[in-house]
Amino acid sequence: MDLSIVVPIYNEVDNLRPLCERVHAVLAPTDWSYELILIDDGSQDGSSELLAELHAEDDTLKVLRFRRNFGQTAALAAGFEYAQGDVIVSLDGDLQNDPIDIPRLLAKLDEGYDLVNGWRVNRQDPFLHRRLPSQIANHMISLTTRVKLHDYGCTLKAFRREVAKGLKLYGEMHRFIPALAGDMGARIAELPVTHHARKHGTSKYGLTRTLWVVLDLLTVKFMSSYATRPSHLFGFLGLIAVLVGGGITTVLGIQRLLFDVQLANRPILLLGILLLVTGVQLVTTGLIAEMLARTYHESQEKPVYWIKDVLE
Ligand code: UDP
Ligand code: MG
C-alpha cells in the first residue's frame, strides 16, 4: 500500500459523499495504491449510518467507528494507528481541505522530507473568532517550539509512515503535530494549500480553544525540553531559591545570635523562610519527576532517541 488517507469525521453527513468522490477523483487516475480511512468520531447526525452505506459500495474505503465522541486528535491517532500506507495523508472531513493538493504534498515529501504541512494561505474562515485567535496561536507556537511554520492548525499534512506512527497524541494535541514530529528529528516542510469555506455542517470549535493552546504549549515545551531531565528545570529553580533563602536566613541568624538584633519586625525573615521551603519543595518535585520520567519511558519502552537509519 502506497498511500493512506486519514480523515476524522464528526457530524459531517452532507460532506461524506462528495469527500469520497473528490478523493477518488484525484487518486484513482494515478498509479498509487491507496486506502481511504474515515474515522467516525461518535457522530449523531446520520454520518455513521451513511459511512456503512458508503463502505458497502467502495473497496478502498475503511471506516473506524468510535463508541462516542473522543475528539479530532483521538480520531487522527486511531487513523494513524490503523493505516497501512508508506505515506499517510491527513485531511479534514468538511471539504475545507481539498484532496486536489495531495499529489503536490507527495511531490514535496519526495524531495526528502518526513512531514509536509499544509499552509492555508487564503483561509476561508471568519476573521474575528477563527483566523485572529489562530494567528495568535501560530505565533506563540512558532516562538516556543523549534519548528517554524505559518499554519499549525491545518489538518492537511503528509507524513512518512514512521513519523505518523511515532506520534503520541493526547487531548487536543493535533495542533502540535509539527512540534512533536520536530522533536523526533523529522525534516519538515510547508506547502501552501487551497482552502474552502465550509458549505455543509458547522465548525466544532470556538474561542476557548485558544486558551487550551496556551496550556498545551506549556506541556509540549516541557515534554520536548525536559521529559528526560525534569530535575534540571525544577532543580535549577529550587537551587536558586534555596541559595537566596539560605543566604538571607544565615545573615539574619548571625545578626540575631552574635549581634543581638531583634528579628520580630524584619519582614525579610519571612521571605528567607519562604524561599527555603519552596526551594526544597522544587528540588524534591524534580526528583519525583525524574522517577516519573523513568516510569514513563521504561514502562512503555519509549526510546529517548529516534534512529534515522542504521548502516551495517
Ligand atoms: N472533528 C472530529 N471530532 C471532533 C471535532 C471535529 O473528528 O470532536 C473533525 C471534523 O469532522 C472535521 C475536522 O475534525 O473533519 C475539523 O473540524 P472543524 O472543521 O470543525 O474544525 P475547523 O476547520 O473549524 O478548525
Ligand atoms: Mg473545518
Side-chain angles (χ1 to χ4, degrees), residues 197-215:
R198 212 186 225 281
K199 287 211 193 71
H200 308 288
T202 49
S203 170
K204 314 298 181 294
Y205 298 104
L207 257 182
T208 44
R209 180 159 71 168
T210 328
L211 211 69
W212 306 146
V213 168
V214 178
L215 293 170

Side-chain angles (χ1 to χ4, degrees), residues 259-285:
F259 301 99
D260 207 25
V261 179
Q262 294 299 307
L263 296 183
N265 58 351
R266 307 282 299 277
I268 196 167
L269 177 65
L270 277 179
L271 178 67
I273 295 172
L274 186 72
L275 284 174
L276 263 183
V277 174
T278 46
V280 170
Q281 278 183 340
L282 279 170
V283 172
T284 47
T285 304

Side-chain angles (χ1 to χ4, degrees), residues 8 10 12 41 69 72 92-94 96 130 198 203-204:
Y10 181 50
E12 307 283 3
D41 185 12
N69 179 247
Q72 187 183 349
D92 273 349
D94 56 0
Q96 292 199 270
R130 301 309 310 279
R198 212 186 225 281
S203 170
K204 314 298 181 294

Side-chain angles (χ1 to χ4, degrees), residues 7-12 14-16 18-20 22-23 72 90-102 104-105 118-127 129-131 134 151 153-157 175 192-205 209:
V7 191
I9 300 292
Y10 181 50
N11 294 345
E12 307 283 3
D14 295 321
N15 294 317
L16 291 177
L19 172 75
C20 294
R22 282 198 207 174
V23 169
Q72 187 183 349
S90 60
L91 90 151
D92 273 349
D94 56 0
L95 300 174
Q96 292 199 270
N97 296 139
D98 199 325
I100 217 115
D101 290 315
I102 294 175
R104 285 173 50 240
L105 286 173
W119 170 16
R120 297 166 290 182
V121 182
N122 277 313
R123 186 165 168 191
Q124 305 293 320
D125 277 322
F127 179 75
H129 64 284
R130 301 309 310 279
R131 267 163 40 217
S134 166
D151 185 6
C154 183
T155 310
L156 184 55
K157 294 180 170 69
R175 196 175 265 281
V193 294
T194 20
H195 193 247
H196 303 292
R198 212 186 225 281
K199 287 211 193 71
H200 308 288
T202 49
S203 170
K204 314 298 181 294
Y205 298 104
R209 180 159 71 168

Side-chain angles (χ1 to χ4, degrees), residues 25-76:
V26 173
L27 295 179
T30 65
D31 47 13
W32 294 314
S33 56
Y34 66 96
E35 59 180 353
L36 172 58
I37 304 174
L38 301 186
I39 303 95
D40 168 32
D41 185 12
S43 302
Q44 301 107 15
D45 68 341
S47 297
S48 199
E49 294 73 19
L50 179 57
L51 281 171
E53 256 174 62
L54 290 169
H55 171 255
E57 303 163 10
D58 180 349
D59 293 339
T60 53
L61 183 61
K62 294 171 185 170
V63 179
L64 306 182
R65 291 197 280 187
F66 281 179
R67 286 185 182 269
R68 65 166 175 85
N69 179 247
F70 284 95
Q72 187 183 349
T73 303
L76 285 170

